[in-house]
Amino acid sequence: MTFCRFEIADVTKRVSLEPCDVAFTIHALEQIPDDFPRAVDNMLALSGKGTVFFEPVWERFPKNLLGLAARFRRYNANYLNGLLTDLESRSGVRIAHAEAMATVGNPLNHTVEIVVVPGA
């Protein structure tokens, strides 16, 4: 039997949830720029097969005028900064995919899909 379970928790704190196959976030980490490493720690600890982040990661914004405007907006808003670097520096996980999505809900806040899996 296949099923899907959704949990809501403050992942910046230690949570007592059962382990899951995949954990994901959608534009949640951008709102906690100072606490995102703790949230990532908890999500990686909970997920057995992988973790998916749908977040605005400015390093993957397009290299055009719109991408430049988006970078300036992000810089002035104190949003998420360093998620990709943080994930690349972690041992025991591997970034399987990190790319800006083709469709954009907000052209000044591009969504980047990052898939992290266990591995070296």
Side-chain angles (χ1 to χ4, degrees):
M1 174 190 280
T2 302
F3 67 95
C4 184
R5 183 183 85 231
F6 289 91
E7 300 281 350
I8 298 173
D10 180 352
V11 294
T12 63
K13 298 181 173 101
R14 281 285 173 211
V15 291
S16 59
L17 299 174
E18 292 182 34
C20 61
D21 289 335
V22 178
F24 71 95
T25 178
I26 302 173
H27 285 257
L29 298 181
E30 74 171 317
Q31 303 300 323
I32 53 170
D34 299 326
D35 293 333
F36 84 85
R38 283 188 300 231
V40 170
D41 288 343
N42 290 331
M43 292 175 68
L44 293 174
L46 284 171
S47 60
K49 294 184 179 178
T51 307
V52 183
F53 302 94
F54 295 99
E55 297 289 340
V57 177
W58 67 271
E59 296 95 338
R60 292 289 195 255
F61 284 2
K63 305 265 192 269
N64 57 24
L65 188 57
L66 190 58
L68 180 63
R71 283 180 181 81
F72 280 126
R73 177 186 175 276
R74 186 219 48 87
Y75 179 78
N76 289 324
N78 188 30
Y79 278 154
L80 181 64
N81 189 21
L83 175 61
L84 196 56
T85 304
D86 178 82
L87 292 170
E88 289 170 338
S89 71
R90 290 173 181 265
S91 61
V93 296
R94 176 177 63 84
I95 297 174
H97 179 79
E99 188 174 318
M101 298 177 70
T103 57
V104 179
N106 178 346
L108 293 179
N109 203 27
H110 297 270
T111 301
V112 175
E113 176 189 14
I114 302 173
V115 179
V116 178
V117 295

